[in-house]
Amino acid sequence: MWLKPEEVLLKNALRLWVTHKSNQYFILQRRRGHGDGAAKFTGRLVGALDAVLDSNARVAPFRILLQVPGSQVYSSIACGATMEEILQHWEWLEQNLLHTLSVFDNKDDIANFVKGKVKGLIAEETSSKLAEQEEDPEKFREGLVKFESRFNFPETEKLITFYSCCCWKGKVPRQGWLYLSVNHLCFYSFFLGKELKLIIPWVEVQKLERTSNVLMADIIMVYTCGKEREFSMFLDINEVFRIMEQLADVTIRRHLDNEAFELDQNLKQPTQITKRDLEARAQKEFFRAMFKLPRTERLYDVVDCSLWTPFSRCHTPGRIYTSDSYICFASKEDGICTVIIPLKEVVSVEKMEDTSLLPNPIIISIRQQMAFQFIELKDRESLVNGLLQRLQQVNMSTLCPRNLVFGKEGFGNMNIMVNEDTESRSEKEKLPTNAEALMSSFHQTSSGNPDSELTREQIKERLWMDHFAEYGRTVCMFRTEKIRKLVAMGIPESLRGELWLIFSDAVTDLATHPDYYSRLVDESMGKSCMVTEEIERDLHRSLPEHPAFQNETGIAALRRVLTAYAYRNPKIGYCQSMNILTSVLLLYAKEEEAFWLLVAVCERMLPDYFNHRVLGAQVDQSVFEELVHERLPELAEHITDLSTLASISLSWFLTLFISIMPLQSAVNVVDCFFFDGIQAIFQIGLAVLDATAVELCSSKDDAQALMILSRFLEHVRNEESPLPHTGNLHSLLNNEQELYPVTDIADLIRDSYEKFGNSSVEQIEHLRCKHRIRVLQSHEETTKQNVLRVVAPDVSFLHEDLEDLFDMFKREHFISCYWEGISSLIDRHDPRRAYAEQYKIDSGQFTSLFKLCSPWPWGSHTEALAERMFRLMDENQDSLIEFKSFAWCLGNCISVYGYSEFSYYE
């Protein structure tokens, strides 16, 4: 079978493999112990090891490596179970690639060409087998029976899938079966007369990682508190790791982040989750992140095709994605072409005549007198029928706009908190809103040569007009590498607001919700609550140096947008830094447009950033820390604790560099953000660290590192901006005499794309999934330590015993959440509560723990006593108690009847 090309080291593998064939570019190898005849000791040892392993977990005995002349790097590209199978791949390479490779002069081109071909073969094999490979119900039923008998979970503990694998104990592998269920990772082995059972709840997983050890090149590490487990999957490792990541992410977020996590419809009932649901969720998350679409979008089709691209005069191969309200296209090669077509812009979807030159074509026509031609569409009938059905639904909703109903149902706690007597808004005059961007009224002119500055702007405007003529000027434009270069140069002042709306697709929300913002303003203004008080405190801290926010016009517009958004989305309400971002949006967009831009940023482009835990920003900080390790290893080596840099960078992510960079420069960063999303902030952050790496490596402490970064960012200038330069805050405060070197923002952005611009959406989303687990578990550890600090003065336990008691209490809490459903979980866990009140247990769970921990033997009186004690502690009579009450109760019992060590199962 063909393999995704991965680098291998031959130095440590020479004793395990024998070269059978080789040529200038490829090596065919046989694993020792397979067909050796009179095998020597090494061959017998390797053969014996392979024979012990389960057939699904063995290393394939034959493989093909790619070797590029002059390079020490080898890549595995194929493997086989028999010589006949591997020879088929070898013959294909000789017939189709061997002679072609001689035309390349560069060894990197050879490697990239071969790897691209192999990836294409894998894609073809996968797509052809998907329809043929149905899960074997008999095999799954047999595995399910074994899972239930071996682990004795309730029936509601749904098994997702299972795999044959090895679990390593030191240097000894235990061959067995890995079972992945909705709440647990389980392993069972019966080897050489010894039985091993391992149960790891997903909520206790702190890290999942693919790595290697001395004997195995590819293993999965599962980290829990103080423990590490190693699993080797061999041929199934890619699928297994993907499913494990999905299950860990879904389960941990459902239990530890239910404040912000919105479950997909198929995942709301854990007993109904399937492996296919998890794979569909992963694909949907990638789709929404790639095109920056709302979370509510459901993905229906992903189909390989080719799109006619008039600017290149050819059909560009890629994939078409269809959802509730969008048709999207992305080329297979990154950067070539991306298209986003809202269904509200579509006029017709038509099938064309099938020809040899245009196989299975369709034409999608849009309102701006443009048409998109797609060819090579498999199952064209189903795709077109689905599009026509959803197009009809979108047209019906356009005729009858679905404006939200204002009231308790739509806005939750916000209405409960108001303290003004509400009266019918129809009897009041509508509040006026700004019909123009603030920059048009408060436009500042530079003190430099106005003619030259205007000329630079005019040159940019002319370049954009030429681009619009060829690529389009709406949301449906062709987005290519050329437009990315124009964005990196800085969008002209006159086009900035328009292009922000197009790149974020806020323009679609604006068009589909007429009068929505004005109604929100009328409903929300004049009411007072904690959120509006926070907004009022921050209004005059928003770009105070800009004249637009030195008078009531700008302040009033900012107040209306922030209050209206808090009213629209009470889950987020208002979060610090939203005021700074909204101020810049109001400078370049009309008030209603700024509101929809804010919606796009908070709900689509920066999910989970703006809540009381700023969880999304912390996850991206953690991702940024790993990127620093990967891309700037010398800096990471000198600064061993990168958490300092991560904490410094929090404002970079929350305000998109607006709060720590001159406004004239920061708006160029915002340009890149609206086009490329969070990847732009990652790469610009890396470019900042790269530019200051020498100084940072010589810094003596965190304060000096902070000063170096602050001073550098304050001296990032935009020489082409028609706006005047703002004063240098660092110079004013420190009375600098020496002239600090200035960095041009265009140079900084260009360096960020050239050096760090190769991170894909898929890579970033994978890193986010990985680090979200770590961040959530870090929050849990903080909660635990705060609970212990609060409870410790009132009980007589040692700190270690109190920790164990809390772990027992929390585990018992989660056991009920596993099998009682989502409603129980939401009622019992809320991160917004006081630390000691976040986890609760009911009477039955208290009795169970009381029996385990009580200092006297069990008897007929135990349950009755436990029930009475529970009623005594349940002061608010909600049939639940928190950890503080439980620890106080147990501590008093022990102090009266004597201390007895308590134990609990692992």
Side-chain angles (χ1 to χ4, degrees):
M1 60 181 293
W2 297 106
L3 299 175
K4 182 179 179 180
E6 294 184 355
E7 295 181 5
V8 297
L9 296 175
L10 294 187
K11 182 178 179 181
N12 298 325
L14 290 176
R15 294 186 179 183
L16 302 179
W17 296 88
V18 178
T19 297
H20 185 75
K21 280 188 175 186
S22 66
N23 57 39
Q24 187 179 2
Y25 299 103
F26 304 103
I27 302 175
L28 190 157
Q29 293 185 325
R30 170 179 52 80
R31 191 168 173 84
R32 290 186 185 273
H34 295 272
D36 282 21
K40 296 182 180 179
F41 175 75
T42 303
R44 292 198 298 270
L45 178 62
V46 176
L49 176 64
D50 289 347
V52 169
L53 300 175
D54 183 272
S55 61
N56 290 332
R58 293 175 188 166
V59 175
F62 302 96
R63 70 180 184 181
I64 297 176
L65 303 179
L66 166 66
Q67 62 165 2
V68 179
S71 174
Q72 299 299 314
V73 178
Y74 295 76
S75 299
S76 61
I77 59 173
C79 69
T82 64
M83 178 62 78
E84 290 75 17
E85 179 184 0
I86 203 68
L87 282 176
Q88 289 180 359
H89 294 317
W90 181 265
E91 291 171 1
W92 188 93
L93 291 171
E94 285 189 326
Q95 294 173 7
N96 295 277
L97 285 187
L98 191 58
H99 302 294
T100 306
L101 299 180
S102 60
V103 303
F104 294 99
D105 297 325
N106 189 300
K107 61 184 181 182
D108 292 334
D109 293 340
I110 295 174
N112 292 334
F113 180 80
V114 174
K115 291 177 181 178
K117 278 291 183 183
V118 171
K119 289 178 181 178
L121 291 171
I122 294 172
E124 289 181 9
E125 286 183 347
T126 302
S127 60
S128 63
K129 290 179 180 179
L130 282 177
E132 302 171 1
Q133 291 181 343
E134 295 293 333
E135 290 187 83
D136 187 345
E138 289 298 325
K139 181 181 177 182
F140 186 83
R141 192 176 297 114
E142 179 184 346
L144 178 60
V145 170
K146 291 180 179 179
F147 170 72
E148 291 175 344
S149 63
R150 288 168 176 172
F151 299 101
N152 198 30
F153 287 124
E155 292 183 2
T156 50
E157 181 65 16
K158 173 72 181 296
L159 176 66
I160 302 299
T161 187
F162 57 94
Y163 302 92
S164 172
C165 71
C166 288
C167 178
W168 291 78
K169 189 174 183 181
K171 295 184 179 180
V172 180
R174 297 293 299 267
Q175 179 63 36
W177 291 90
L178 179 72
Y179 297 89
L180 305 179
S181 66
V182 290
N183 296 303
H184 298 87
L185 178 155
C186 305
F187 177 80
Y188 178 85
S189 173
F190 188 83
F191 189 68
L192 299 178
K194 294 184 178 180
E195 185 180 55
L196 172 66
K197 289 184 182 180
L198 178 66
I199 300 175
I200 303 176
W202 289 118
V203 291
E204 294 183 10
V205 172
Q206 296 183 340
K207 184 180 179 182
L208 291 173
E209 184 179 33
R210 282 182 65 174
T211 182
S212 61
N213 62 14
V214 177
L215 295 177
M216 292 294 168
D218 209 355
I219 62 176
I220 294 177
M221 296 288 296
V222 180
Y223 298 85
T224 56
C225 184
K227 294 182 181 179
E228 301 174 4
R229 300 289 183 180
E230 299 179 356
F231 299 93
S232 55
M233 303 299 171
F234 303 108
L235 299 179
D236 294 322
I237 193 167
N238 292 323
E239 176 186 318
V240 174
F241 189 70
R242 187 171 63 249
I243 296 297
M244 288 174 69
E245 271 197 325
Q246 282 292 310
L247 276 170
D249 183 56
V250 168
T251 306
I252 290 175
R253 293 181 74 183
R254 182 170 63 236
H255 291 293
L256 304 184
D257 189 32
N258 55 290
E259 172 199 8
F261 184 42
E262 296 179 2
L263 281 169
D264 295 334
Q265 193 65 34
N266 293 340
L267 303 179
K268 285 188 176 181
Q269 293 298 328
T271 56
Q272 303 300 318
I273 295 176
T274 65
K275 179 179 168 184
R276 186 172 298 176
D277 290 334
L278 293 171
E279 292 172 343
R281 173 183 180 268
Q283 190 174 48
K284 182 166 62 174
E285 291 291 322
F286 166 73
F287 161 70
R288 293 190 300 216
M290 184 176 187
F291 299 104
K292 301 185 286 290
L293 298 181
R295 285 183 172 183
T296 53
E297 284 299 304
R298 292 174 294 179
L299 181 63
Y300 291 101
D301 303 293
V302 181
V303 182
D304 287 341
C305 66
S306 293
L307 170 66
W308 173 255
T309 47
F311 54 88
S312 60
R313 299 184 182 277
C314 68
H315 284 91
T316 300
R319 287 190 178 92
I320 187 172
Y321 302 79
T322 68
S323 65
D324 289 310
S325 307
Y326 292 89
I327 303 169
C328 301
F329 173 85
S331 58
K332 289 187 177 179
E333 185 176 345
D334 289 341
I336 296 297
C337 179
T338 303
V339 176
I340 301 174
I341 308 174
L343 281 179
K344 80 170 195 65
E345 299 293 332
V346 174
V347 175
S348 64
V349 179
E350 301 173 298
K351 292 179 290 186
M352 294 175 59
E353 182 181 355
D354 188 6
T355 66
S356 58
L357 293 177
L358 299 175
N360 295 327
I362 66 171
I363 292 288
I364 298 177
S365 303
I366 63 173
R367 300 182 191 280
Q368 290 77 27
Q369 297 183 346
M370 287 179 62
F372 297 89
Q373 182 191 77
F374 297 89
I375 64 171
E376 300 174 339
L377 288 156
K378 295 182 179 179
D379 197 9
R380 178 177 63 164
E381 292 291 333
S382 174
L383 178 69
V384 171
N385 290 338
L387 284 174
L388 290 174
Q389 183 179 1
R390 290 190 291 278
L391 180 60
Q392 184 179 10
Q393 294 171 352
V394 169
N395 289 336
M396 289 295 294
S397 64
T398 302
L399 294 174
C400 305
R402 294 175 297 170
N403 288 317
L404 296 181
V405 178
F406 305 119
K408 184 175 181 180
E409 182 179 352
F411 292 87
N413 296 333
M414 189 77 172
N415 280 350
I416 298 174
M417 298 167 65
V418 297
N419 60 17
E420 177 188 291
D421 293 332
T422 56
E423 58 178 302
S424 174
R425 287 290 170 183
S426 60
E427 298 176 1
K428 300 178 68 176
E429 293 184 1
K430 284 186 173 291
L431 293 172
T433 58
N434 287 352
E436 298 294 335
L438 293 178
M439 192 65 79
S440 61
S441 302
F442 299 92
H443 183 70
Q444 299 169 289
T445 56
S446 174
S447 57
N449 186 341
D451 294 333
S452 62
E453 300 294 341
L454 288 174
T455 300
R456 291 177 182 176
E457 283 291 289
Q458 287 175 342
I459 292 173
K460 287 184 181 181
E461 290 173 2
R462 191 174 297 115
L463 289 173
W464 276 98
M465 294 304 168
D466 293 341
H467 187 276
F468 291 150
E470 188 174 3
Y471 295 85
R473 191 174 179 168
T474 66
V475 175
C476 308
M477 67 168 60
F478 292 98
R479 307 180 191 213
T480 65
E481 191 63 32
K482 182 177 178 181
I483 196 172
R484 178 176 282 111
K485 292 178 180 178
L486 287 175
V487 171
M489 291 168 55
I491 298 175
E493 296 282 315
S494 59
L495 297 175
R496 181 163 278 135
E498 175 187 349
L499 287 172
W500 286 358
L501 287 164
I502 289 174
F503 293 154
S504 65
D505 196 33
V507 66
T508 298
D509 288 332
L510 178 66
T512 53
H513 295 83
D515 299 325
Y516 175 73
Y517 174 67
S518 61
R519 291 176 59 192
L520 267 183
V521 171
D522 289 340
E523 282 289 320
S524 61
M525 294 303 296
K527 297 183 177 180
S528 178
C529 62
M530 185 169 60
V531 172
T532 58
E533 291 173 3
E534 292 177 2
I535 291 172
E536 287 297 326
R537 282 197 298 268
D538 287 344
L539 287 177
H540 294 278
R541 304 172 187 171
S542 310
L543 298 187
E545 71 279 4
H546 198 284
F549 299 99
Q550 295 171 358
N551 67 82
E552 187 56 29
T553 301
I555 294 295
L558 182 60
R559 178 187 294 112
R560 288 191 293 269
V561 172
L562 292 175
T563 304
Y565 183 79
Y567 201 67
R568 163 193 165 86
N569 190 344
K571 284 187 177 180
I572 292 179
Y574 171 74
C575 180
Q576 283 190 347
S577 77
M578 287 174 65
N579 60 315
I580 297 173
L581 176 60
T582 307
S583 300
V584 175
L585 299 179
L586 283 166
L587 289 178
Y588 294 98
K590 300 174 184 178
E591 188 173 319
E592 185 176 9
E593 295 171 345
F595 169 80
W596 287 112
L597 284 169
L598 183 63
V599 170
V601 171
C602 295
E603 299 175 15
R604 298 206 301 266
M605 303 184 72
L606 295 178
D608 302 333
Y609 262 56
F610 301 100
N611 53 43
H612 84 283
R613 294 198 295 179
V614 290
L615 187 66
Q618 291 187 51
V619 171
D620 283 346
Q621 281 182 284
S622 189
V623 171
F624 184 63
E625 188 175 330
E626 178 166 336
L627 292 175
V628 172
H629 271 288
E630 178 185 332
R631 302 299 185 86
L632 300 171
E634 293 182 2
L635 178 62
E637 184 179 348
H638 280 81
I639 304 179
T640 55
D641 184 11
L642 289 177
S643 60
T644 302
L645 290 180
S647 62
I648 292 173
S649 66
L650 179 61
S651 62
W652 303 0
F653 291 95
L654 284 174
T655 69
L656 310 180
F657 285 92
I658 295 170
S659 64
I660 40 83
M661 193 182 284
L663 177 61
Q664 298 79 6
S665 304
V667 290
N668 285 35
V669 176
V670 179
D671 294 341
C672 298
F673 167 76
F674 275 116
F675 185 77
D676 275 319
I678 195 62
Q679 289 96 315
I681 306 303
F682 282 126
Q683 65 194 38
I684 292 172
L686 290 171
V688 169
L689 295 183
D690 184 45
T692 56
V694 174
E695 291 182 85
L696 289 173
C697 288
S698 61
S699 61
K700 298 178 181 179
D701 52 37
D702 297 345
Q704 189 176 359
L706 174 60
M707 185 66 69
I708 290 168
L709 289 170
S710 298
R711 186 168 56 177
F712 175 83
L713 290 167
E714 288 164 4
H715 287 81
V716 175
R717 300 291 177 84
N718 185 357
E719 301 298 339
E720 296 184 358
S721 174
L723 307 180
H725 298 301
T726 56
N728 187 293
L729 182 61
H730 183 275
S731 299
L732 293 174
L733 294 178
N734 294 277
N735 195 24
E736 282 187 344
Q737 299 298 321
E738 296 182 11
L739 185 63
Y740 190 85
V742 170
T743 301
D744 191 273
I745 184 62
D747 295 335
L748 182 66
I749 292 177
R750 185 180 62 252
D751 288 346
S752 76
Y753 277 101
E754 291 177 355
K755 295 180 180 180
F756 311 108
N758 56 349
S759 295
S760 66
V761 174
E762 188 174 13
Q763 290 172 324
I764 295 298
E765 289 304 303
H766 168 72
L767 289 173
R768 279 177 159 178
C769 180
K770 170 184 174 181
H771 287 275
R772 188 182 296 113
I773 295 173
R774 190 192 69 78
V775 170
L776 283 170
Q777 294 292 14
S778 176
H779 276 276
E780 286 301 297
E781 180 62 25
T782 301
T783 297
K784 173 181 174 179
Q785 296 304 323
N786 283 321
V787 169
L788 299 181
R789 177 175 51 81
V790 170
V791 173
D794 299 328
V795 296
S796 56
F797 290 108
L798 298 175
H799 182 78
E800 295 79 6
D801 292 336
L802 194 60
E803 274 193 304
D804 292 340
L805 196 63
F806 179 83
D807 291 338
M808 292 164 52
F809 185 90
K810 181 178 174 182
R811 190 176 293 128
E812 195 69 33
H813 158 86
F814 279 125
I815 286 174
S816 67
C817 295
Y818 295 154
W819 302 306
E820 289 185 15
I822 299 298
S823 59
S824 168
L825 173 62
I826 294 174
D827 292 339
R828 297 187 181 201
H829 177 63
D830 187 347
R832 292 170 293 187
R833 292 194 188 118
Y835 292 116
E837 299 176 4
Q838 287 191 15
Y839 294 111
K840 297 185 177 184
I841 59 175
D842 59 23
S843 176
Q845 294 170 298
F846 172 77
T847 301
S848 176
L849 286 177
F850 188 74
K851 288 180 179 180
L852 288 172
C853 304
S854 61
W856 49 76
W858 297 356
S860 57
H861 65 280
T862 305
E863 291 192 6
L865 178 61
E867 184 178 349
R868 292 178 182 180
M869 296 180 71
F870 183 86
R871 289 203 302 267
L872 177 65
M873 292 181 291
D874 184 19
E875 296 179 355
N876 60 356
Q877 298 183 349
D878 64 350
S879 299
L880 298 169
I881 63 168
E882 69 276 0
F883 176 71
K884 185 176 181 179
S885 298
F886 173 72
W888 174 85
C889 168
L890 195 62
N892 284 339
C893 291
I894 290 175
S895 64
V896 173
Y897 293 97
Y899 181 79
S900 174
E901 289 188 0
F902 49 83
S903 61
Y904 199 58
Y905 64 87
E906 283 291 342

